[in-house]
Amino acid sequence: FSSYFDDTFVGVYLPLKNQTFSSESDWLNTLALSTMQILSQKDFSLYKLPKQDAEDQDMRRWMMTEYLPEMFAIIRGRRLVWLLDDTGSLIQWIKAGKLPADHFAYLDGLVKQFQNLGIIMAMDSRYEMLIPTMSPLVSVTDVYRLANLTEDETRALIQQPIQNQYRISDDASAAVFAATAGQPRLVQRFGAALYDYMQVTDTPRTILAIEDVKTVSNTVQQQSNTDFRKIWDETGRNERLLLTAITRLMVDDPLTAVNVTAISDWLIESDYPLDLTTINAAVRGLEYDELIENNKGNISFKSSLMQVWLLQNAELQTASTTTVAPPRRGLIAAAIVLALIILVLVFVVSQQPPANQPSSSTAQPTLTLIANP
């Protein structure tokens, strides 16, 4: 933050992922203490900042009417920016009852009352559908989605940091982009792996080429397996089925383009059928997550590293409700009918008296005619 904004901005970074708070007062107190710590590092005098009365349980009132007014007086016209990382945690804390339901409304009130207060919030994309719950502090028009790096941005990240020591060719940078799809963490790993490779190579080099990217690819693949597993675990069932289908289709016939029809046919043959509407929706979701590319109906993976991981790990997941495939229904129906016939025959036979035993029923009276000679 400080690298891009001058001293008129005071940034307070606070990661929330591993934080534990028991109440809103605890959380607001952490905000206040974190702000004071940054101001202290910047040599601001903090003796005028009010201390919260231990008997005062209204942390909201203290923050709004005592702490922030004095804090803005101390920084004298500068802009205070709270940089909250992993703010999906706030949503979870509200659901868990650790924060009141109107907490985002309270934060919105602070921003509106203090014009020099800004809040920048970052969260994982899996919370994207819950952004409306952060109203009125956040609206969908306030959101900026951080996408993967473009090919030009990947080239810059790979080439510029080391340009005074050695060069990485444009072809090598393009190979890194093909392997990573511009995922920043993967690109950084390639940069680090190539740098380490340069330190141990026996032959002095001034430029790295595609062959060098291939040499370090296995190292980056191993370093990234946990990331790919996380992506897989957080992907929906239908999207997993598509990823598996695309992987197997590309292995079975690398020269044939994968399309929605081929995916549908493969899933039917694998006893995991999805209708075309569901498949198209899953394709759009995977495109949105930048895992696949759909070029005029031809579907492919954006990252070759991800494709390798899927080839080694992707498996069809058991459906929550399984249905019997049509070819098997006839066999099962025939078996049921046969069982019923056997039961009926057993019942009928059991009702017949044994052949060699007299009947146990009472004999009916008869007339005997005697003829006298």
Side-chain angles (χ1 to χ4, degrees):
F1 183 84
S2 300
S3 301
Y4 292 92
F5 295 91
D6 58 27
D7 291 339
T8 60
F9 291 85
V10 178
V12 180
Y13 174 70
L14 189 59
L16 304 181
K17 186 174 183 179
N18 297 320
Q19 299 281 355
T20 55
F21 300 108
S22 58
S23 65
E24 184 182 54
S25 294
D26 191 14
W27 155 235
L28 293 178
N29 186 56
T30 299
L31 266 179
L33 292 176
S34 299
T35 303
M36 292 171 61
Q37 182 179 8
I38 296 299
L39 294 181
S40 177
Q41 293 174 0
K42 294 180 177 294
D43 295 327
F44 285 98
S45 177
L46 304 180
Y47 74 94
K48 289 186 178 180
L49 275 179
K51 295 182 179 179
Q52 186 189 20
D53 188 344
E55 297 180 358
D56 185 2
Q57 300 299 318
D58 193 350
M59 191 68 178
R60 284 188 172 191
R61 182 203 59 78
W62 178 81
M63 176 72 78
M64 181 173 287
T65 63
E66 297 185 38
Y67 177 79
L68 285 178
E70 287 296 336
M71 190 275 302
F72 281 113
I74 291 173
I75 64 176
R76 296 185 297 276
R78 292 176 176 83
R79 184 84 184 269
L80 172 65
V81 183
W82 285 333
L83 306 167
L84 308 183
D85 201 0
D86 299 306
T87 47
S89 298
L90 292 178
I91 297 175
Q92 292 179 335
W93 294 337
I94 290 175
K95 287 185 175 181
K98 295 181 179 180
L99 294 178
D102 65 342
H103 181 70
F104 289 118
Y106 171 72
L107 294 179
D108 182 64
L110 293 180
V111 172
K112 289 178 177 176
Q113 179 161 337
F114 301 99
Q115 295 183 354
N116 279 354
L117 174 63
I119 302 178
I120 298 177
M121 313 173 83
M123 65 170 60
D124 193 284
S125 59
R126 68 178 182 272
Y127 293 104
E128 200 166 1
M129 300 303 294
L130 298 177
I131 288 176
T133 65
M134 304 172 72
S135 177
L137 178 64
V138 179
S139 67
V140 292
T141 58
D142 299 324
V143 176
Y144 182 82
R145 192 172 192 270
L146 298 178
N148 288 347
L149 302 176
T150 65
E151 186 168 358
D152 289 341
E153 291 167 342
T154 299
R155 183 185 305 112
L157 183 57
I158 284 292
Q159 293 179 343
Q160 291 181 7
I162 45 77
Q163 58 188 348
N164 294 329
Q165 301 181 46
Y166 57 89
R167 289 181 54 218
I168 297 178
S169 70
D170 288 346
D171 289 342
S173 298
V176 171
F177 180 74
T180 64
Q183 294 183 41
R185 183 177 298 179
L186 302 186
V187 176
Q188 287 180 321
R189 285 180 182 149
F190 261 107
L194 289 170
Y195 180 83
D196 292 341
Y197 174 70
M198 279 292 293
Q199 308 310 307
V200 299
T201 183
D202 296 331
T203 305
R205 306 279 295 280
T206 58
I207 185 169
L208 296 182
I210 293 180
E211 290 73 18
D212 302 305
V213 173
K214 293 179 180 178
T215 300
V216 303
S217 289
N218 187 53
T219 298
V220 177
Q221 181 80 55
Q222 294 177 357
Q223 294 172 344
S224 306
N225 283 339
T226 301
D227 294 327
F228 294 139
R229 169 60 65 181
K230 183 175 183 290
I231 292 173
W232 175 264
D233 290 341
E234 294 177 354
T235 300
R237 173 186 175 273
N238 293 339
E239 286 75 12
R240 286 188 191 183
L241 291 176
L242 260 68
L243 290 174
T244 305
I246 296 168
T247 301
R248 301 308 169 191
L249 286 168
M250 294 180 72
V251 170
D252 294 342
D253 191 354
L255 300 180
T256 301
V258 177
N259 54 37
V260 169
T261 301
I263 293 172
S264 176
D265 292 342
W266 189 90
L267 290 173
I268 290 174
E269 293 176 0
S270 303
D271 290 340
Y272 288 87
L274 295 176
D275 59 74
L276 291 178
T277 300
T278 301
I279 292 176
N280 282 313
V283 167
R284 289 192 295 271
L286 292 173
E287 281 188 279
Y288 187 74
D289 292 335
E290 300 187 84
L291 297 180
I292 65 171
E293 185 174 18
N294 187 4
N295 184 14
K296 297 181 179 179
N298 296 329
I299 300 170
S300 59
F301 291 109
K302 298 195 70 172
S303 164
S304 61
L305 291 183
M306 181 69 176
Q307 182 179 351
V308 170
W309 186 91
L310 288 169
L311 181 61
Q312 297 172 348
N313 297 275
E315 297 178 356
L316 288 170
Q317 301 300 303
T318 302
S320 57
T321 55
T322 57
T323 57
V324 182
R328 298 177 182 174
R329 288 178 181 168
L331 295 176
I332 293 178
I336 293 174
V337 171
L338 180 60
L340 290 175
I341 292 174
I342 293 173
L343 289 174
V344 170
L345 290 175
V346 170
F347 176 77
V348 171
V349 171
S350 67
Q351 301 304 307
Q352 300 296 324
N356 297 325
Q357 293 185 8
S359 176
S360 59
S361 59
T362 304
Q364 297 296 321
T366 60
L367 291 174
T368 302
L369 296 177
I370 299 173
N372 291 325

